[in-house]
Amino acid sequence: MTDQDRIAIIGAGHVGATAAYALMLRALVPEIVLIDSNRALAEAEAADIADANALARPARIWAGDYADAARASIAVITAGGATHGSQDRLSVAADSAAIVTDCVDRLIGAGFSGILVVAANPVDLMTLVALRRSGLPASRVIGTGTLLDTSRLKQALSQALGVAPTSVEGYVLGEHGDSEVAAFSTVRIGGQTLDQFCQGQDRPDLDAIGREVRDAGYAIVEGKGYTSFGVATAIVRICEAIHRDEHAVLPVSTLLTGDYGQSDLCLSLPCILGAGGVERVLTPDLAPHEMDGLAASALVLKAALAGLA
């Protein structure tokens, strides 16, 4: 049995603690439980967030165990291997796989039957690891995927085009990593394509924007040692779409079953998210070079997956 008023976060590091804090501020659920192998860390982060709670909206935030997580409607796994400097996400795949496997085993062993959101890097591989290990339906195992990258793309385009980020539609697809595909053919501003919108004005350097979006995480890690706010906000947005049964379209990592010719692999495509998790995977028309990029991204992930076997 699940408790629709509870979300569990497994991993009380920078991402997990920030996600818990953001969930508290958004007043999405009245119960947030933090779980970490370092119990003292989970207790300290829970206490710190709870201190702010009196100035926000009432919620119970505490350090718990997997029995507490078992009753949650959503469990978020942020625990995983950490990258440093320019180290790519795939380089920590083996470490993360061991951690995620242990977390999933404990969670399912405690009786969890809700929706699992995976935020551990490399997130596409870890989503597949969690899916295979948990035995849950594919619709209920969701990776944060390229939701953060898509947010970065909208922000970059908004600055280049002089419009609000919320007025920009478009997606980054594929791997959340170096092979991701900034699908500029999906971009719309007020219903207009980029070519239509840019008529009579200079077109932004799309290659430069794509590189900026792809490398943004590296720049942040180089400066502060980790990322937290962006990915935590992506976690909260996914939780909102599920908890509120929004049927929102978000680019998240999910199991492909023939989409764009790919199967038995998790990567990001636009998905309709609701109370049951992924309700439908969408396959927008892409430019030929974007299709090639998506196929190349899938090959990168397949090679990395083979390395985990």
Side-chain angles (χ1 to χ4, degrees):
M1 186 178 75
T2 61
D3 188 335
Q4 298 300 315
D5 290 333
R6 180 180 298 180
I7 290 177
I9 297 178
I10 301 171
H14 298 297
V15 174
T18 305
Y21 178 64
L23 281 169
M24 183 269 290
L25 290 179
R26 296 288 273 268
L28 184 62
V29 291
E31 293 188 355
I32 302 164
V33 57
L34 277 173
I35 299 165
D36 197 280
S37 57
N38 182 343
R39 178 73 181 212
L41 174 64
E43 290 177 348
E45 292 289 10
D48 198 9
I49 296 168
D51 284 345
N53 195 226
L55 301 174
R57 294 172 184 169
R60 180 188 176 207
I61 300 110
W62 79 103
D65 54 31
Y66 283 93
D68 298 307
R71 287 186 50 208
S73 59
I74 302 171
V76 182
I77 295 180
T78 67
T83 58
H84 303 281
S86 60
Q87 187 180 13
D88 69 65
R89 299 174 183 91
L90 291 174
S91 66
V92 298
D95 289 343
S96 283
I99 295 168
V100 169
T101 296
D102 181 63
C103 293
V104 171
D105 285 351
R106 291 171 179 266
L107 187 62
I108 298 302
F112 177 78
S113 61
I115 293 176
L116 189 57
V117 176
V118 181
N121 276 321
V123 68
D124 305 288
L125 295 186
M126 293 309 103
T127 302
L128 187 59
V129 167
L131 172 62
R132 290 176 173 177
R133 196 73 183 184
S134 69
L136 293 170
S139 60
R140 291 182 14 223
V141 181
I142 304 164
T144 50
T146 58
L147 180 54
L148 174 55
D149 308 270
T150 294
S151 176
R152 289 168 174 161
L153 177 67
K154 292 180 179 181
Q155 181 67 24
L157 284 172
S158 76
Q159 293 175 350
L161 300 174
V163 296
T166 53
S167 298
V168 180
E169 298 179 8
Y171 299 101
V172 176
L173 306 176
E175 177 203 10
H176 172 58
D178 294 346
S179 71
E180 67 185 32
V181 178
F184 290 105
S185 67
T186 67
V187 172
R188 297 292 183 274
I189 302 98
Q192 293 187 316
T193 65
L194 268 174
D195 287 339
Q196 292 169 333
F197 186 85
C198 291
Q199 283 182 356
Q201 68 182 69
D202 291 336
R203 181 184 174 93
D205 185 338
L206 301 185
D207 288 339
I209 288 175
R211 289 192 297 271
E212 176 189 341
V213 169
R214 181 195 65 199
D215 297 339
Y218 294 128
I220 293 169
V221 171
E222 176 102 20
K224 64 181 251 186
Y226 58 90
T227 61
S228 55
F229 295 106
V231 65
T233 303
I235 290 168
V236 173
R237 183 68 193 96
I238 292 168
C239 291
E240 285 178 332
I242 295 166
H243 183 74
R244 295 173 178 162
D245 196 20
E246 290 184 9
H247 311 290
V249 177
L250 300 174
V252 294
S253 191
T254 189
L255 181 69
L256 302 193
T257 56
D259 313 271
Y260 295 116
Q262 303 296 333
S263 297
D264 301 321
L265 192 68
C266 290
L267 54 74
S268 285
L269 293 178
C271 296
I272 300 175
L273 292 187
V278 174
E279 299 178 344
R280 181 180 171 189
V281 180
L282 306 180
T283 53
D285 290 334
L286 301 176
H289 71 279
E290 293 168 346
M291 289 286 291
D292 291 342
L294 197 60
S297 188
L299 285 175
V300 168
L301 289 172
K302 286 176 182 177
L305 183 62
L308 289 180

